[in-house]
């Protein structure tokens, strides 16, 4: 066997941290499996088609598309990781199908002004949009996708739910038999206002999750991504101490609707590198909730003015007595019990 030529990481990665990020992404099994299944189990959609992979990274999604029968795949990667993608393509003997371009998709040109049948991209950031690249995917869709083309993924849904955060609150009450509550409080104060990337256990959610936003990736515009806001009253489905709000997302892919492939970062789903985003509450805002207690809040995600791929989160707790509830509402407040009884009586009559 001939000796393998040495690899210079500096030729492919901007830093050691950059290399580790891509190692984490490639070893994220739910992420890999969702794309692999969505593409390889939909060979009929890819056979003989042209594909654009936006933000191709190491090129693995481009290779999935070639394996599914695509006739041509344009892999566009802005960083010098494109050089590694070319090496990966050659290693897998796919260079006749996959063409790697080292540039931003905004600077990319297809030959002869042609358009592609499918756009594939793993563009999602933390809480879906933060440090993601959906704007670039939307640009590519508008410029390069055929009118009846497909997007992989084709929908994205953002969820929010009140939750417990024992890792930021409860664990400091007893550290090897010593109360460190003051340390936990200082830690939370230091991170006040800064959402944290955490793994939240499903049983720590106090609600199954409320849809904050839903995006049809065939239709959404960059302007619609500038600001997302929700104001609502949720009814606790589990008792526990309200210590924060948890945010996660799901994406779906084209294919058989009866077995539509999904990539989920729900706390009840297999863990991904995205984990969940938690906004811890100030300690004096935490309260014990019983099942059917109402939780009123407003939450906004606003594009950062200086760095447009970053988003600022703003959470405000509201008074459930003053906010409008969904009808019928399952909470235990008197006005909701009376209204529910009235609506049920009307249905009987």
């Amino acid at each position: 066997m001939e000796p393998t030529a040495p690899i210079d990481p500096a030729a492919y990665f901007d830093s050691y941290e950059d290399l580790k990020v891509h190692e984490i992404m490639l070893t994220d099994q739910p992420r890999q499996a969702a794309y692999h299944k969505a593409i390889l189990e939909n060979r009929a959609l890819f056979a003989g088609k042209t594909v654009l992979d936006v933000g191709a990274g190491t090129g693995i999604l481009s290779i999935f598309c070639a394996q599914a029968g695509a006739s041509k795949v344009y892999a566009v990667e802005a960083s010098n990781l494109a050089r590694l993608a070319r090496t990966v393509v050659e290693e897998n003997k796919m260079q006749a199908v996959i063409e790697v371009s080292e540039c931003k998709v905004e600077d990319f040109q297809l030959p002869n002004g042609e358009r592609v049948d499918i756009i594939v991209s793993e563009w999602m950031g933390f809480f879906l949009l933060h440090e993601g690249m959906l704007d670039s995917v939307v640009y590519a869709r508008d410029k390069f996708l055929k009118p009846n083309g497909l997007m992989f993924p084709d929908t994205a849904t953002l969820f929010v739910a009140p939750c417990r955060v024992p890792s930021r609150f409860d664990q400091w009450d007893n550290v090897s038999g010593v109360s460190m509550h003051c340390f936990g409080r200082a830690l939370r104060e230091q991170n006040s206002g800064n959402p944290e990337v955490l793994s939240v256990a499903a049983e720590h959610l106090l609600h199954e999750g409320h849809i904050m936003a839903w995006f049809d990736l065939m239709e959404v515009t960059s302007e619609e991504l500038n600001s997302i806001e929700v104001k609502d009253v949720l009814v606790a489905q589990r008792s526990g101490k309200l210590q924060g709000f948890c945010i996660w997302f799901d994406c779906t892919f084209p294919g058989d609707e009866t077995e539509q492939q999904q990539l989920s970062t729900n706390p009840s789903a297999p863990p991904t590198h995205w984990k969940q985003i938690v906004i811890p509450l100030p300690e004096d805002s935490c309260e014990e909730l019983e099942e059917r207690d109402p939780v009123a809040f407003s939450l906004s995600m606003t594009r950062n003015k200086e760095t447009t791929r970053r988003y600022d989160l703003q959470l405000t707790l509201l008074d459930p007595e003053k906010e409008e509830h969904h009808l019928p509402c399952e909470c235990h407040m008197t006005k909701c019990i009376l209204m529910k009884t009235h609506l049920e009586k009307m249905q009987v009559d």
Side-chain angles (χ1 to χ4, degrees), residues 252-290:
T252 64
F253 298 83
D256 187 348
E257 292 185 2
T258 60
E259 295 184 10
Q260 189 171 48
Q261 182 59 31
Q262 177 175 274
L263 171 60
S264 177
T265 62
N266 189 304
S268 63
T272 70
H273 75 278
W274 288 285
K275 301 181 181 180
Q276 290 84 39
I277 294 297
V278 172
I279 308 174
L281 294 174
E283 192 156 358
D284 56 5
S285 296
C286 297
E287 60 174 319
E288 288 288 346
L289 294 181
E290 297 295 332

mmCIF file of all heavy atoms in Angstrom, residues 252-290:
data_model
loop_
_atom_site.group_PDB
_atom_site.id
_atom_site.type_symbol
_atom_site.label_atom_id
_atom_site.label_comp_id
_atom_site.label_asym_id
_atom_site.label_seq_id
_atom_site.Cartn_x
_atom_site.Cartn_y
_atom_site.Cartn_z
ATOM 1 N N THR A 252 -38.391 19.962 8.136
ATOM 2 C CA THR A 252 -38.888 18.823 7.364
ATOM 3 C C THR A 252 -38.338 18.892 5.952
ATOM 4 O O THR A 252 -37.915 19.954 5.473
ATOM 5 C CB THR A 252 -40.424 18.782 7.305
ATOM 6 O OG1 THR A 252 -40.892 19.937 6.596
ATOM 7 C CG2 THR A 252 -41.025 18.761 8.700
ATOM 8 N N PHE A 253 -38.384 17.736 5.267
ATOM 9 C CA PHE A 253 -37.842 17.594 3.918
ATOM 10 C C PHE A 253 -38.934 17.119 2.965
ATOM 11 O O PHE A 253 -39.885 16.461 3.384
ATOM 12 C CB PHE A 253 -36.689 16.588 3.915
ATOM 13 C CG PHE A 253 -35.526 16.982 4.772
ATOM 14 C CD1 PHE A 253 -35.515 16.729 6.137
ATOM 15 C CD2 PHE A 253 -34.420 17.603 4.203
ATOM 16 C CE1 PHE A 253 -34.439 17.096 6.930
ATOM 17 C CE2 PHE A 253 -33.333 17.972 4.987
ATOM 18 C CZ PHE A 253 -33.343 17.718 6.353
ATOM 19 N N PRO A 254 -38.803 17.423 1.667
ATOM 20 C CA PRO A 254 -39.764 16.903 0.694
ATOM 21 C C PRO A 254 -39.736 15.376 0.668
ATOM 22 O O PRO A 254 -38.741 14.751 1.044
ATOM 23 C CB PRO A 254 -39.269 17.475 -0.637
ATOM 24 C CG PRO A 254 -38.418 18.643 -0.278
ATOM 25 C CD PRO A 254 -37.792 18.285 1.032
ATOM 26 N N GLY A 255 -40.827 14.793 0.210
ATOM 27 C CA GLY A 255 -40.893 13.340 0.103
ATOM 28 C C GLY A 255 -42.269 12.823 0.447
ATOM 29 O O GLY A 255 -43.253 13.572 0.437
ATOM 30 N N ASP A 256 -42.326 11.572 0.759
ATOM 31 C CA ASP A 256 -43.583 10.904 1.087
ATOM 32 C C ASP A 256 -44.186 11.517 2.347
ATOM 33 O O ASP A 256 -43.588 11.454 3.425
ATOM 34 C CB ASP A 256 -43.321 9.404 1.292
ATOM 35 C CG ASP A 256 -44.604 8.606 1.480
ATOM 36 O OD1 ASP A 256 -45.674 9.229 1.675
ATOM 37 O OD2 ASP A 256 -44.544 7.371 1.422
ATOM 38 N N GLU A 257 -45.362 12.116 2.215
ATOM 39 C CA GLU A 257 -45.985 12.792 3.355
ATOM 40 C C GLU A 257 -46.334 11.838 4.486
ATOM 41 O O GLU A 257 -46.416 12.235 5.640
ATOM 42 C CB GLU A 257 -47.236 13.546 2.897
ATOM 43 C CG GLU A 257 -46.937 14.730 1.986
ATOM 44 C CD GLU A 257 -48.176 15.526 1.644
ATOM 45 O OE1 GLU A 257 -49.261 15.171 2.160
ATOM 46 O OE2 GLU A 257 -48.068 16.489 0.878
ATOM 47 N N THR A 258 -46.551 10.583 4.171
ATOM 48 C CA THR A 258 -46.903 9.622 5.222
ATOM 49 C C THR A 258 -45.698 9.287 6.092
ATOM 50 O O THR A 258 -45.852 8.875 7.231
ATOM 51 C CB THR A 258 -47.469 8.329 4.613
ATOM 52 O OG1 THR A 258 -46.479 7.735 3.748
ATOM 53 C CG2 THR A 258 -48.732 8.628 3.817
ATOM 54 N N GLU A 259 -44.494 9.443 5.538
ATOM 55 C CA GLU A 259 -43.271 9.192 6.305
ATOM 56 C C GLU A 259 -42.289 10.336 6.084
ATOM 57 O O GLU A 259 -41.123 10.124 5.771
ATOM 58 C CB GLU A 259 -42.640 7.857 5.889
ATOM 59 C CG GLU A 259 -43.488 6.639 6.210
ATOM 60 C CD GLU A 259 -42.797 5.338 5.872
ATOM 61 O OE1 GLU A 259 -41.592 5.375 5.572
ATOM 62 O OE2 GLU A 259 -43.450 4.288 5.908
ATOM 63 N N GLN A 260 -42.780 11.565 6.252
ATOM 64 C CA GLN A 260 -41.954 12.731 5.980
ATOM 65 C C GLN A 260 -40.770 12.790 6.934
ATOM 66 O O GLN A 260 -40.926 12.707 8.149
ATOM 67 C CB GLN A 260 -42.786 14.007 6.106
ATOM 68 C CG GLN A 260 -42.059 15.244 5.618
ATOM 69 C CD GLN A 260 -42.983 16.443 5.560
ATOM 70 O OE1 GLN A 260 -43.715 16.712 6.506
ATOM 71 N NE2 GLN A 260 -42.952 17.168 4.450
ATOM 72 N N GLN A 261 -39.584 12.923 6.356
ATOM 73 C CA GLN A 261 -38.369 12.958 7.163
ATOM 74 C C GLN A 261 -38.262 14.285 7.901
ATOM 75 O O GLN A 261 -38.560 15.347 7.355
ATOM 76 C CB GLN A 261 -37.138 12.743 6.278
ATOM 77 C CG GLN A 261 -35.825 12.720 7.021
ATOM 78 C CD GLN A 261 -35.764 11.633 8.080
ATOM 79 O OE1 GLN A 261 -36.376 10.591 7.926
ATOM 80 N NE2 GLN A 261 -35.030 11.863 9.148
ATOM 81 N N GLN A 262 -37.833 14.222 9.147
ATOM 82 C CA GLN A 262 -37.754 15.415 9.984
ATOM 83 C C GLN A 262 -36.433 15.438 10.738
ATOM 84 O O GLN A 262 -35.918 14.409 11.168
ATOM 85 C CB GLN A 262 -38.922 15.428 10.982
ATOM 86 C CG GLN A 262 -38.903 16.598 11.956
ATOM 87 C CD GLN A 262 -40.126 16.630 12.832
ATOM 88 O OE1 GLN A 262 -41.155 17.181 12.462
ATOM 89 N NE2 GLN A 262 -40.055 16.041 14.009
ATOM 90 N N LEU A 263 -35.889 16.622 10.886
ATOM 91 C CA LEU A 263 -34.739 16.856 11.759
ATOM 92 C C LEU A 263 -35.254 17.681 12.925
ATOM 93 O O LEU A 263 -35.730 18.803 12.734
ATOM 94 C CB LEU A 263 -33.638 17.604 11.011
ATOM 95 C CG LEU A 263 -32.463 18.108 11.853
ATOM 96 C CD1 LEU A 263 -31.746 16.953 12.545
ATOM 97 C CD2 LEU A 263 -31.491 18.909 11.001
ATOM 98 N N SER A 264 -35.189 17.128 14.124
ATOM 99 C CA SER A 264 -35.767 17.787 15.288
ATOM 100 C C SER A 264 -34.717 18.023 16.366
ATOM 101 O O SER A 264 -33.895 17.154 16.653
ATOM 102 C CB SER A 264 -36.907 16.945 15.880
ATOM 103 O OG SER A 264 -37.431 17.568 17.055
ATOM 104 N N THR A 265 -34.774 19.214 16.965
ATOM 105 C CA THR A 265 -33.942 19.502 18.132
ATOM 106 C C THR A 265 -34.799 19.597 19.393
ATOM 107 O O THR A 265 -34.395 20.193 20.386
ATOM 108 C CB THR A 265 -33.139 20.803 17.931
ATOM 109 O OG1 THR A 265 -34.048 21.907 17.773
ATOM 110 C CG2 THR A 265 -32.260 20.714 16.693
ATOM 111 N N ASN A 266 -36.002 19.013 19.332
ATOM 112 C CA ASN A 266 -36.883 18.930 20.492
ATOM 113 C C ASN A 266 -36.158 18.217 21.639
ATOM 114 O O ASN A 266 -35.416 17.262 21.403
ATOM 115 C CB ASN A 266 -38.139 18.150 20.104
ATOM 116 C CG ASN A 266 -39.214 18.177 21.164
ATOM 117 O OD1 ASN A 266 -39.003 17.808 22.306
ATOM 118 N ND2 ASN A 266 -40.397 18.614 20.780
ATOM 119 N N PRO A 267 -36.331 18.660 22.887
ATOM 120 C CA PRO A 267 -35.679 17.974 24.003
ATOM 121 C C PRO A 267 -35.993 16.484 24.084
ATOM 122 O O PRO A 267 -35.197 15.715 24.647
ATOM 123 C CB PRO A 267 -36.220 18.715 25.230
ATOM 124 C CG PRO A 267 -36.493 20.090 24.733
ATOM 125 C CD PRO A 267 -37.008 19.892 23.331
ATOM 126 N N SER A 268 -37.126 16.049 23.524
ATOM 127 C CA SER A 268 -37.478 14.629 23.564
ATOM 128 C C SER A 268 -36.843 13.841 22.416
ATOM 129 O O SER A 268 -36.925 12.616 22.393
ATOM 130 C CB SER A 268 -39.002 14.463 23.508
ATOM 131 O OG SER A 268 -39.518 14.967 22.282
ATOM 132 N N ALA A 269 -36.225 14.538 21.459
ATOM 133 C CA ALA A 269 -35.591 13.880 20.314
ATOM 134 C C ALA A 269 -34.144 13.547 20.642
ATOM 135 O O ALA A 269 -33.574 14.072 21.610
ATOM 136 C CB ALA A 269 -35.671 14.792 19.092
ATOM 137 N N PRO A 270 -33.511 12.656 19.856
ATOM 138 C CA PRO A 270 -32.089 12.378 20.074
ATOM 139 C C PRO A 270 -31.281 13.673 20.033
ATOM 140 O O PRO A 270 -31.546 14.543 19.194
ATOM 141 C CB PRO A 270 -31.733 11.452 18.910
ATOM 142 C CG PRO A 270 -33.020 10.784 18.557
ATOM 143 C CD PRO A 270 -34.079 11.822 18.781
ATOM 144 N N PRO A 271 -30.298 13.826 20.922
ATOM 145 C CA PRO A 271 -29.574 15.108 21.027
ATOM 146 C C PRO A 271 -28.739 15.421 19.786
ATOM 147 O O PRO A 271 -28.169 14.531 19.158
ATOM 148 C CB PRO A 271 -28.680 14.914 22.253
ATOM 149 C CG PRO A 271 -28.557 13.425 22.420
ATOM 150 C CD PRO A 271 -29.847 12.854 21.930
ATOM 151 N N THR A 272 -28.701 16.694 19.439
ATOM 152 C CA THR A 272 -27.900 17.185 18.321
ATOM 153 C C THR A 272 -26.890 18.212 18.838
ATOM 154 O O THR A 272 -26.949 18.635 19.995
ATOM 155 C CB THR A 272 -28.782 17.865 17.262
ATOM 156 O OG1 THR A 272 -29.285 19.102 17.808
ATOM 157 C CG2 THR A 272 -29.947 16.964 16.852
ATOM 158 N N HIS A 273 -25.990 18.646 17.962
ATOM 159 C CA HIS A 273 -25.004 19.648 18.386
ATOM 160 C C HIS A 273 -25.654 21.001 18.626
ATOM 161 O O HIS A 273 -25.079 21.860 19.296
ATOM 162 C CB HIS A 273 -23.881 19.775 17.352
ATOM 163 C CG HIS A 273 -24.259 20.521 16.110
ATOM 164 N ND1 HIS A 273 -24.942 19.934 15.060
ATOM 165 C CD2 HIS A 273 -24.070 21.810 15.748
ATOM 166 C CE1 HIS A 273 -25.131 20.842 14.111
ATOM 167 N NE2 HIS A 273 -24.621 21.973 14.497
ATOM 168 N N TRP A 274 -26.882 21.210 18.099
ATOM 169 C CA TRP A 274 -27.581 22.468 18.362
ATOM 170 C C TRP A 274 -28.097 22.529 19.800
ATOM 171 O O TRP A 274 -28.314 23.614 20.323
ATOM 172 C CB TRP A 274 -28.766 22.630 17.409
ATOM 173 C CG TRP A 274 -28.407 22.932 15.998
ATOM 174 C CD1 TRP A 274 -27.970 24.120 15.489
ATOM 175 C CD2 TRP A 274 -28.485 22.025 14.883
ATOM 176 N NE1 TRP A 274 -27.768 24.003 14.132
ATOM 177 C CE2 TRP A 274 -28.080 22.733 13.730
ATOM 178 C CE3 TRP A 274 -28.856 20.691 14.735
ATOM 179 C CZ2 TRP A 274 -28.035 22.158 12.471
ATOM 180 C CZ3 TRP A 274 -28.815 20.107 13.488
ATOM 181 C CH2 TRP A 274 -28.409 20.840 12.362
ATOM 182 N N LYS A 275 -28.345 21.335 20.406
ATOM 183 C CA LYS A 275 -28.941 21.256 21.738
ATOM 184 C C LYS A 275 -30.227 22.082 21.767
ATOM 185 O O LYS A 275 -31.036 22.022 20.845
ATOM 186 C CB LYS A 275 -27.940 21.699 22.805
ATOM 187 C CG LYS A 275 -26.675 20.856 22.819
ATOM 188 C CD LYS A 275 -25.712 21.287 23.887
ATOM 189 C CE LYS A 275 -24.444 20.437 23.853
ATOM 190 N NZ LYS A 275 -23.472 20.841 24.881
ATOM 191 N N GLN A 276 -30.442 22.887 22.828
ATOM 192 C CA GLN A 276 -31.557 23.836 22.886
ATOM 193 C C GLN A 276 -31.010 25.170 23.382
ATOM 194 O O GLN A 276 -29.889 25.235 23.899
ATOM 195 C CB GLN A 276 -32.670 23.344 23.833
ATOM 196 C CG GLN A 276 -33.450 22.155 23.322
ATOM 197 C CD GLN A 276 -32.757 20.843 23.623
ATOM 198 O OE1 GLN A 276 -32.173 20.659 24.691
ATOM 199 N NE2 GLN A 276 -32.824 19.902 22.688
ATOM 200 N N ILE A 277 -31.803 26.215 23.209
ATOM 201 C CA ILE A 277 -31.448 27.525 23.747
ATOM 202 C C ILE A 277 -32.350 27.794 24.943
ATOM 203 O O ILE A 277 -33.569 27.609 24.871
ATOM 204 C CB ILE A 277 -31.630 28.631 22.695
ATOM 205 C CG1 ILE A 277 -30.646 28.445 21.548
ATOM 206 C CG2 ILE A 277 -31.457 30.016 23.328
ATOM 207 C CD1 ILE A 277 -29.190 28.562 21.936
ATOM 208 N N VAL A 278 -31.740 28.227 26.032
ATOM 209 C CA VAL A 278 -32.496 28.535 27.247
ATOM 210 C C VAL A 278 -32.262 29.988 27.641
ATOM 211 O O VAL A 278 -31.123 30.466 27.639
ATOM 212 C CB VAL A 278 -32.091 27.600 28.402
ATOM 213 C CG1 VAL A 278 -32.746 28.053 29.704
ATOM 214 C CG2 VAL A 278 -32.475 26.169 28.090
ATOM 215 N N ILE A 279 -33.349 30.675 27.952
ATOM 216 C CA ILE A 279 -33.269 32.020 28.520
ATOM 217 C C ILE A 279 -33.618 31.899 29.994
ATOM 218 O O ILE A 279 -34.795 31.788 30.355
ATOM 219 C CB ILE A 279 -34.249 32.984 27.834
ATOM 220 C CG1 ILE A 279 -34.083 32.949 26.319
ATOM 221 C CG2 ILE A 279 -34.055 34.402 28.368
ATOM 222 C CD1 ILE A 279 -35.115 33.782 25.584
ATOM 223 N N PRO A 280 -32.617 31.849 30.887
ATOM 224 C CA PRO A 280 -32.924 31.751 32.324
ATOM 225 C C PRO A 280 -33.567 33.037 32.821
ATOM 226 O O PRO A 280 -33.263 34.131 32.359
ATOM 227 C CB PRO A 280 -31.544 31.546 32.967
ATOM 228 C CG PRO A 280 -30.628 31.164 31.851
ATOM 229 C CD PRO A 280 -31.173 31.836 30.633
ATOM 230 N N LEU A 281 -34.478 32.887 33.776
ATOM 231 C CA LEU A 281 -35.144 34.046 34.373
ATOM 232 C C LEU A 281 -34.346 34.548 35.573
ATOM 233 O O LEU A 281 -33.623 33.779 36.217
ATOM 234 C CB LEU A 281 -36.546 33.663 34.831
ATOM 235 C CG LEU A 281 -37.549 33.295 33.746
ATOM 236 C CD1 LEU A 281 -38.845 32.810 34.383
ATOM 237 C CD2 LEU A 281 -37.805 34.469 32.822
ATOM 238 N N PRO A 282 -34.485 35.824 35.909
ATOM 239 C CA PRO A 282 -33.917 36.302 37.179
ATOM 240 C C PRO A 282 -34.554 35.530 38.330
ATOM 241 O O PRO A 282 -35.719 35.128 38.258
ATOM 242 C CB PRO A 282 -34.328 37.780 37.208
ATOM 243 C CG PRO A 282 -34.627 38.136 35.793
ATOM 244 C CD PRO A 282 -35.152 36.887 35.155
ATOM 245 N N GLU A 283 -33.793 35.322 39.377
ATOM 246 C CA GLU A 283 -34.279 34.475 40.468
ATOM 247 C C GLU A 283 -35.573 34.993 41.077
ATOM 248 O O GLU A 283 -36.455 34.203 41.443
ATOM 249 C CB GLU A 283 -33.206 34.344 41.550
ATOM 250 C CG GLU A 283 -33.517 33.270 42.560
ATOM 251 C CD GLU A 283 -32.279 32.741 43.236
ATOM 252 O OE1 GLU A 283 -31.175 33.188 42.897
ATOM 253 O OE2 GLU A 283 -32.429 31.873 44.109
ATOM 254 N N ASP A 284 -35.724 36.318 41.164
ATOM 255 C CA ASP A 284 -36.938 36.853 41.789
ATOM 256 C C ASP A 284 -38.154 36.729 40.871
ATOM 257 O O ASP A 284 -39.278 37.040 41.283
ATOM 258 C CB ASP A 284 -36.736 38.298 42.227
ATOM 259 C CG ASP A 284 -36.300 39.214 41.084
ATOM 260 O OD1 ASP A 284 -36.255 38.746 39.930
ATOM 261 O OD2 ASP A 284 -35.980 40.387 41.350
ATOM 262 N N SER A 285 -37.942 36.273 39.618
ATOM 263 C CA SER A 285 -39.072 36.052 38.705
ATOM 264 C C SER A 285 -39.490 34.585 38.648
ATOM 265 O O SER A 285 -40.508 34.267 38.038
ATOM 266 C CB SER A 285 -38.707 36.528 37.288
ATOM 267 O OG SER A 285 -38.487 37.915 37.262
ATOM 268 N N CYS A 286 -38.697 33.722 39.254
ATOM 269 C CA CYS A 286 -39.025 32.298 39.242
ATOM 270 C C CYS A 286 -40.175 32.022 40.215
ATOM 271 O O CYS A 286 -40.234 32.601 41.300
ATOM 272 C CB CYS A 286 -37.809 31.463 39.645
ATOM 273 S SG CYS A 286 -36.413 31.605 38.518
ATOM 274 N N GLU A 287 -41.067 31.130 39.808
ATOM 275 C CA GLU A 287 -42.194 30.797 40.669
ATOM 276 C C GLU A 287 -42.589 29.342 40.470
ATOM 277 O O GLU A 287 -42.377 28.768 39.399
ATOM 278 C CB GLU A 287 -43.387 31.706 40.373
ATOM 279 C CG GLU A 287 -43.903 31.606 38.945
ATOM 280 C CD GLU A 287 -45.173 32.412 38.731
ATOM 281 O OE1 GLU A 287 -46.041 32.392 39.630
ATOM 282 O OE2 GLU A 287 -45.298 33.050 37.677
ATOM 283 N N GLU A 288 -43.144 28.764 41.504
ATOM 284 C CA GLU A 288 -43.647 27.402 41.413
ATOM 285 C C GLU A 288 -44.960 27.392 40.635
ATOM 286 O O GLU A 288 -45.871 28.166 40.934
ATOM 287 C CB GLU A 288 -43.878 26.813 42.809
ATOM 288 C CG GLU A 288 -42.613 26.474 43.572
ATOM 289 C CD GLU A 288 -41.898 25.250 43.002
ATOM 290 O OE1 GLU A 288 -42.510 24.513 42.191
ATOM 291 O OE2 GLU A 288 -40.736 25.031 43.378
ATOM 292 N N LEU A 289 -45.029 26.537 39.635
ATOM 293 C CA LEU A 289 -46.243 26.413 38.838
ATOM 294 C C LEU A 289 -46.926 25.091 39.142
ATOM 295 O O LEU A 289 -46.252 24.065 39.340
ATOM 296 C CB LEU A 289 -45.922 26.473 37.341
ATOM 297 C CG LEU A 289 -45.378 27.778 36.767
ATOM 298 C CD1 LEU A 289 -45.166 27.626 35.272
ATOM 299 C CD2 LEU A 289 -46.322 28.946 37.044
ATOM 300 N N GLU A 290 -48.221 25.126 39.179
ATOM 301 C CA GLU A 290 -49.020 23.917 39.240
ATOM 302 C C GLU A 290 -49.596 23.665 37.851
ATOM 303 O O GLU A 290 -49.705 24.584 37.024
ATOM 304 C CB GLU A 290 -50.142 24.057 40.266
ATOM 305 C CG GLU A 290 -49.666 24.248 41.696
ATOM 306 C CD GLU A 290 -48.922 23.033 42.240
ATOM 307 O OE1 GLU A 290 -49.228 21.904 41.769
ATOM 308 O OE2 GLU A 290 -48.051 23.215 43.103
#
